[in-house]
Amino acid sequence: MKNLQKTIRFTLLYLLLTARVLAAPPPTRINDCSNTFIQEITTRFDDDPDAEAVVVLTNGVVLFFYVKIDEVPALKTALPGDKVKLCLTKVPDDCPPGDERGKIYSVLNYRTQQYFKAMNSWHYCGGA
């Protein structure tokens, strides 16, 4: 049993590392898209299942929701390792230089064919 658990952990780690290498960089222009993978679906506070949802992608983008995982149908069926299409849909105006917060992305899960939209931070640029 220990060997099986060790093999499963190694395989998952290998798949996540491979996904990170295969993931394209995040899109930088509105309406551009790139392929990446879901690395993790978690909550704002790891030990609180009723906290807001957070999705970590292997290309470094982290997406934040103001609702629980169960309230986003596309997140309820998504799994770590799923290949997704990440599209930049909105960039806030008049941001201070270097403040990348407030970008909105749409995500298509290729396996489930479900979409969701989310922002890359809890606040817009120039905010709290």
Side-chain angles (χ1 to χ4, degrees):
M1 187 64 156
K2 263 189 178 177
N3 285 340
L4 178 61
Q5 289 174 335
K6 199 175 198 180
T7 301
I8 290 171
R9 278 196 308 252
F10 175 77
T11 303
L12 288 174
L13 178 62
Y14 174 78
L15 290 172
L16 286 174
L17 291 174
T18 302
R20 183 165 281 174
V21 170
L22 296 175
T28 56
R29 294 184 309 215
I30 293 175
N31 296 324
D32 279 358
C33 302
S34 63
N35 289 321
T36 188
F37 299 84
I38 294 174
Q39 179 174 320
E40 182 179 13
I41 301 167
T42 188
T43 61
R44 185 173 189 175
F45 306 109
D46 289 332
D47 57 350
D48 183 0
D50 291 326
E52 297 93 341
V54 176
V55 174
V56 180
L57 303 176
T58 58
N59 66 358
V61 172
V62 180
L63 300 171
F64 300 89
F65 299 80
Y66 285 100
V67 296
K68 298 185 290 185
I69 292 170
D70 287 347
E71 296 176 33
V72 183
L75 292 186
K76 290 187 341 184
T77 58
L79 298 170
D82 281 353
K83 184 177 181 179
V84 296
K85 181 178 181 179
L86 176 72
C87 300
L88 181 61
T89 60
K90 185 174 182 184
V91 177
D93 297 326
D94 300 324
C95 293
D99 192 343
E100 297 291 318
R101 296 176 298 166
K103 292 180 181 178
I104 298 177
Y105 294 91
S106 68
V107 178
L108 167 68
N109 185 319
Y110 287 112
R111 182 181 60 81
T112 65
Q113 292 299 299
Q114 291 180 306
Y115 283 93
F116 61 84
K117 283 190 173 190
M119 192 164 63
N120 71 335
S121 67
W122 292 113
H123 303 282
Y124 285 100
C125 65

